[in-house]
Amino acid sequence: MARIWPIKFRTLGGEISPDYRINGGAIDRGRPVPFRFNGRGYRGFAGDTLASALLAQGVEVPENVSLLRAGEKPAATLTAAQELFDDLTARRRTNGHFRRFLPGYAPSVETGSDAEVEHVYDQADCLIVGSGPTGLATALQRAEAGLDVIVVERDFEFGGSLLYDDQWIDGRAPGDWRRAVLDRLLVMPKVRLLNRTTALLREGETLVHAEERPQQHLTMRDPHLPDLRLRHIQARETVIAAGIDDQIFPFENNRLHGIFKLEYALSLVNRHAVLPGHRLALYVGHTDGYRLAASLLARGLRPVAIIDARAEVPDVCHRFARQAGIPLYPHHRVIRAQGCRRVRRVVIGKAGQDPVNRDIHLDCDSLVQSAGVIPRTVPELLEEGSVLSVTGRTRGETLPHLRRGPLFEAQTRAAAVHRTILGWRLAAAYPIKGEKVRAASHREALAAWTGVAMSDLSHLGKIDLQGPDALALLERAFGGWASLKSGRMRPFLLTEDGGGALASVLGWRLAPHHFMLTMAAGSLATVRTRLERLVAAEEVAPRLKMTEVTDEWGGVALMGPKAEALLAGSLPMSVMSESLPSMAFRDFSQDDLPVRLARISLSAGAGFEIYTRAGYADILWNLVLEKGKAQGLTLAGTVAREILRIEAGRPGEREINGRTTAADLGLAPPDRLEGRHKSRLQLIGLKSVSHEVEGKPAPPLSVGMTLYEGDGTEPTGPGIGEITSACYSPAHDREIALALLSDGRARVGTLIRAATADGRKVIDVKVQPPRVLPRKEIGHA
């Protein structure tokens, strides 16, 4: 008998059945809102977003769309969190845009180059970022004390979690409490409530840069309003009450449509009255994750299962699941999601070691997940003196919430000391036996020269490019890609049109029309923006797809003379140089573990990089860790990797600063210097020689020290250069540094001086090439 597939009926206006709209919510059903998407007519309600209105009718939601108005070109690129308004017309953006996060993440919009921008300078006693329960309560308390208060909220409605949370406040329903507080704030003359305004960057303790979008809810453009209003808010006190963000679990295919963060799913159900799916599975790592199940039950709906990753699930959660009749899988994890474009099934398994462990297949059309929650923050302005562009962005802007890689838990088990770097929680070092971080990092860096060390690479920025026009784009951005063969990789330098170096990138050619770029986490935004601009400049849309895949891959670096022996005992393929030469990589699998193995040496001696899908990263880590016991494997954190970078003389973000060229950095012949970036500042290495004769330890060198001639004159004035990176090198047993020095290469072998800004510390240093050999007894240069 032939299989009969479910039939979807399309009605006038483009609505699709089955309907995902449910009862309740904060939408105004008495005010229907017609709109068009991708040339097709739909209908939502006042209070909907573009995403919720489309999801309510079973339409898959893109992450980037173009907003159009009658008779105009696309007004902006925005996310599907755009609020709905009468006759909104939007279309999907595909070429040149990256997938970023799960639905619900709403970064600030991108405006065209001809957008009208207005700069406003505000002052207040107190600035509050976020209008959830904490933000509104703080605003009311400060306003009643007589202070000038500004509240900024990126949503078009004030209230934050109050718009979808069921928990009562002070004996009142969240909606009633919200309305009461807003009514009081609105009549206070010293309070300004700014919705549709995103806090972009924080500069110092008192200044926050914010972006207001006054036009993006209007059917017709108002000629009296700017397209974008950049607010520079100076406040004596800044309170960050931007709410929380859900951490996601790493598993295979976690970017299929139908996979949502918990807070966004709660907003869909309780605020917009939209079901994420008819057969919803819940995947959580904390008790608050059961809130969605409770909200659905209150509306007569029941999730198909709750998957709880915790080893010890509280009794209250067991009782809730039993009383609700929801299958509960404690101490289980999602291994993979299955489906073509949208999730149709998830495969789960028992976490940890279980001799009778088996895969369980759960049919579902949506998966809501929350591994944990962290507070949202406002990124710091990373570079002194940097200026906001038209879009309100700066080079090196960080993500607006803290990120954890797939190896975070494994590092925690290994007693790592974590620090926040560029929005990531990264392992700085792995102290043992009461070590301080400094001593541990020295031991770890030395192990990369004498034995074998392993370090996490998961946080590196990663961009995947595919399509017939991908090579042309990379040639235009970098040059030198045409000669790169499949299975090979090469370092590239991204430069602006005038020749200034912007970022260092490692390019991988996976196939004739398939490429990958990896780079430092802080360079991702710069590379992404540069490539997007090149794509936007094309008269014809190129045939390519660019995707940011940072979160999809986990990886480790193996460094040291024993690295090859360790891999030979860990992986099935030969890693000898004859089969895997330098700067080459291979893709293969071992026991269903997908592996991308690369032979690469950008720091100390021999080295390898090993990548796998994020859901398998923990398996890879444990495999190498177990096999590495015989080789004396040492875990190395970010501090040790920075030491190795400086020892290797590789330029970092302070050396690649937009003002230096490839020739300045020693990456191109001097005769290629040209244009306005022509400079005499060249990258060199330094080693401290002060007090060596007396046998005293050399004083520390530090970033920002000014360099002066070694002729005995007073070290004052602008000097002849500046230290850009510095550390104590255990391989050299001395303080070393990288610096940008006037006529630097001509000064190799000479003595100069480094001085602090106050002139109190003056250190004799010797100029040398950026990369120098370690002490002879270390070897393995």
Side-chain angles (χ1 to χ4, degrees):
M1 181 177 178
R3 183 171 183 177
I4 301 176
W5 293 94
I7 299 175
K8 294 184 179 180
F9 297 97
R10 192 175 309 281
T11 63
L12 293 177
E15 296 174 5
I16 299 175
S17 297
D19 200 350
Y20 288 78
R21 186 73 76 179
I22 57 177
N23 294 327
I27 57 174
D28 187 350
R29 299 172 194 269
R31 293 174 54 198
V33 179
F35 68 99
R36 297 186 66 80
F37 177 69
N38 277 356
R40 182 176 297 162
Y42 296 92
R43 188 186 68 178
F45 298 100
D48 263 328
T49 63
L50 178 60
S52 66
L54 290 173
L55 286 169
Q57 299 168 86
V59 180
E60 292 179 347
V61 179
E63 290 169 336
N64 292 293
V65 295
S66 288
L67 174 66
L68 298 97
R69 294 188 181 92
E72 292 185 355
K73 296 180 179 179
T77 299
L78 62 153
T79 68
Q82 162 71 33
E83 67 186 291
L84 212 59
F85 58 84
D86 285 333
D87 298 318
L88 177 150
T89 302
R91 67 186 182 202
R92 184 188 304 266
R93 298 271 300 195
T94 53
N95 293 330
H97 286 268
F98 300 91
R99 294 183 58 87
R100 287 183 173 89
F101 298 95
L102 295 173
Y105 175 76
S108 54
V109 301
E110 298 169 15
T111 57
S113 59
D114 57 347
E116 182 179 347
V117 179
E118 178 183 83
H119 287 261
V120 176
Y121 296 85
D122 295 307
Q123 292 80 36
D125 295 312
C126 181
L127 168 65
I128 300 171
V129 179
S131 67
T134 301
L136 292 182
T138 303
L140 184 60
Q141 188 270 333
R142 299 294 193 275
E144 289 177 338
L147 302 181
D148 286 310
V149 176
I150 295 178
V151 179
V152 298
E153 170 58 56
R154 69 179 181 179
D155 203 331
F156 57 94
E157 292 278 3
F158 294 101
S161 63
L162 295 169
L163 296 169
Y164 57 81
D165 209 327
D166 290 327
Q167 298 187 19
W168 284 37
I169 302 176
D170 296 333
R172 308 175 75 174
D176 294 336
W177 186 92
R178 166 183 168 269
R179 282 187 290 271
V181 174
L182 283 174
D183 287 344
R184 294 176 66 183
L185 290 173
L186 287 170
V187 297
M188 292 181 168
K190 290 188 174 183
V191 175
R192 282 175 285 175
L193 301 177
L194 304 175
N195 60 345
R196 303 182 184 92
T197 304
T198 302
L200 291 178
L201 294 168
R202 186 173 184 176
E203 185 172 358
E205 293 296 321
T206 62
L207 181 60
V208 170
H209 305 282
E211 172 187 275
E212 183 181 0
R213 309 177 296 279
Q215 292 268 19
Q216 283 192 285
H217 63 295
L218 304 179
T219 302
M220 299 296 293
R221 185 180 185 278
D222 187 340
H224 303 291
L225 290 177
D227 297 294
L228 188 68
R229 182 179 289 131
L230 293 178
R231 291 186 175 271
H232 312 278
I233 307 172
Q234 197 87 35
R236 291 191 178 95
E237 178 190 22
T238 299
V239 178
I240 307 300
I244 58 175
D245 203 1
D246 286 296
Q247 295 286 81
I248 63 174
F249 288 97
F251 56 90
E252 189 175 353
N253 294 335
N254 65 353
R255 290 178 176 269
L256 288 176
H257 284 286
I259 299 178
F260 302 87
K261 287 185 177 181
L262 174 66
E263 290 292 314
Y264 181 59
L266 282 167
S267 178
L268 283 176
V269 172
N270 293 338
R271 177 182 177 185
H272 301 295
V274 174
L275 270 181
H278 291 284
R279 293 181 54 80
L280 181 147
L282 186 60
Y283 184 24
V284 297
H286 55 105
T287 301
D288 278 351
Y290 287 67
R291 287 186 298 156
L292 179 62
S295 294
L296 292 175
L297 287 172
R299 290 162 175 78
L301 304 166
R302 183 180 290 107
V304 299
I306 300 177
I307 306 144
D308 198 319
R310 295 174 292 180
E312 298 293 333
V313 178
D315 289 340
V316 65
C317 297
H318 284 279
R319 289 197 300 271
F320 172 85
R322 283 197 303 270
Q323 293 170 2
I326 304 174
L328 174 63
Y329 296 88
H331 202 205
H332 278 65
R333 62 187 179 92
V334 173
I335 300 171
R336 72 182 68 90
Q338 295 179 337
C340 181
R341 291 175 56 86
R342 183 180 178 90
V343 61
R344 298 300 179 195
R345 182 184 297 107
V346 293
V347 180
I348 70 173
K350 189 79 171 178
Q353 301 296 325
D354 187 346
V356 294
N357 193 13
R358 67 187 187 281
D359 290 347
I360 301 172
H361 296 252
L362 295 178
D363 290 332
C364 61
D365 63 356
S366 60
L367 177 70
V368 176
Q369 61 164 328
S370 176
V373 294
I374 56 174
R376 295 193 183 103
T377 62
V378 177
E380 297 288 337
L381 190 60
L382 300 180
E383 299 175 339
E384 285 296 322
S386 56
V387 180
L388 291 173
S389 64
V390 172
T391 61
R393 304 188 185 281
T394 63
R395 195 178 76 83
E397 176 185 343
T398 60
L399 294 171
H401 65 275
L402 201 61
R403 305 174 77 182
R404 295 179 178 181
L407 293 173
F408 180 85
E409 296 298 335
Q411 294 167 350
T412 302
R413 293 193 297 268
V417 174
H418 286 94
R419 290 179 178 171
T420 301
I421 303 175
L422 294 172
W424 287 85
R425 288 293 285 172
L426 303 178
Y430 298 84
I432 58 175
K433 300 177 182 178
E435 282 181 318
K436 301 294 185 182
V437 169
R438 176 180 170 86
S441 62
H442 292 168
R443 171 180 52 80
E444 295 162 9
L446 196 58
W449 287 105
T450 60
V452 57
M454 179 169 70
S455 184
D456 181 18
L457 298 178
S458 304
H459 62 285
L460 293 184
K462 308 172 192 74
I463 296 175
D464 184 271
L465 298 97
Q466 301 183 44
D469 293 334
L471 179 59
L473 173 65
L474 293 172
E475 278 288 339
R476 184 176 175 187
F478 301 95
W481 276 87
S483 60
L484 188 64
K485 299 179 180 179
S486 297
R488 294 300 182 107
M489 52 192 177
R490 180 184 302 164
F492 292 91
L493 192 66
L494 181 67
T495 62
E496 59 183 14
D497 293 336
L502 298 175
S504 178
V505 171
L506 185 62
W508 309 57
R509 188 163 193 171
L510 285 72
H513 300 306
H514 191 184
F515 308 87
M516 186 172 76
L517 307 177
T518 57
M519 67 221 71
S523 300
L524 176 61
T526 300
V527 176
R528 185 175 63 205
T529 300
R530 177 64 171 163
L531 293 177
E532 285 180 334
R533 288 176 177 173
L534 290 175
V535 170
E538 296 289 336
E539 295 183 1
V540 179
R543 299 165 298 168
L544 63 86
K545 179 181 180 181
M546 294 190 293
T547 310
E548 184 198 325
V549 294
T550 301
D551 295 321
E552 295 185 12
W553 291 88
V556 298
L558 284 180
M559 305 161 286
K562 296 182 181 179
E564 189 163 316
L566 190 161
L567 282 175
S570 304
L571 302 175
M573 69 168 292
S574 171
V575 294
M576 300 298 291
S577 58
E578 292 81 5
S579 60
L580 190 66
S582 179
M583 302 306 287
F585 65 93
R586 299 288 184 271
D587 288 347
F588 60 96
S589 62
Q590 173 177 322
D591 298 328
D592 295 327
L593 173 67
V595 174
R596 178 168 293 163
L597 174 64
R599 180 186 288 269
I600 181 173
S601 179
L602 297 180
S603 55
F608 298 87
E609 291 186 2
I610 316 171
Y611 290 94
T612 188
R613 292 291 181 178
Y616 295 91
D618 200 71
I619 299 174
L620 173 65
W621 175 276
N622 291 330
L623 171 66
V624 178
L625 200 62
E626 179 65 28
K627 297 294 184 180
K629 291 179 179 178
Q631 305 291 340
L633 176 65
T634 298
L635 297 180
T638 57
V639 179
R641 283 186 61 83
E642 178 67 1
I643 293 173
L644 294 170
R645 179 188 72 81
I646 298 172
E647 289 176 340
R650 288 193 292 113
E653 291 188 349
R654 289 186 64 88
E655 291 83 27
I656 304 174
N657 54 24
R659 297 183 297 272
T660 54
T661 66
D664 297 332
L665 300 172
L667 303 177
D671 61 355
R672 293 176 65 177
L673 286 171
E674 59 184 6
R676 63 183 178 89
H677 286 281
K678 185 172 182 178
S679 169
R680 294 168 56 194
L681 290 176
Q682 298 170 339
L683 180 66
I684 49 89
L686 298 175
K687 66 177 180 180
S688 174
V689 296
S690 294
H691 306 305
E692 275 194 342
V693 176
E694 295 87 346
K696 298 179 182 179
L701 300 174
S702 60
V703 173
M705 278 184 146
T706 304
L707 301 175
Y708 297 93
E709 298 284 4
D711 55 6
T713 57
E714 187 70 17
T716 59
I720 57 175
E722 180 185 17
I723 290 180
T724 52
S725 301
C727 70
Y728 167 78
S729 168
H732 298 78
D733 192 24
R734 70 180 69 224
E735 293 283 328
I736 64 171
L738 296 178
L740 292 173
L741 179 64
S742 178
D743 290 329
R745 283 186 282 274
R747 297 176 184 266
V748 170
T750 65
L751 290 179
I752 59 174
R753 291 171 297 165
T756 55
D758 56 13
R760 295 182 179 180
K761 184 185 295 183
V762 180
I763 302 171
D764 293 329
V765 291
K766 185 176 183 179
V767 182
Q768 58 190 13
R771 175 167 183 155
V772 295
L773 300 180
R775 291 174 288 145
K776 291 183 179 180
E777 59 268 26
I778 298 297
H780 310 294

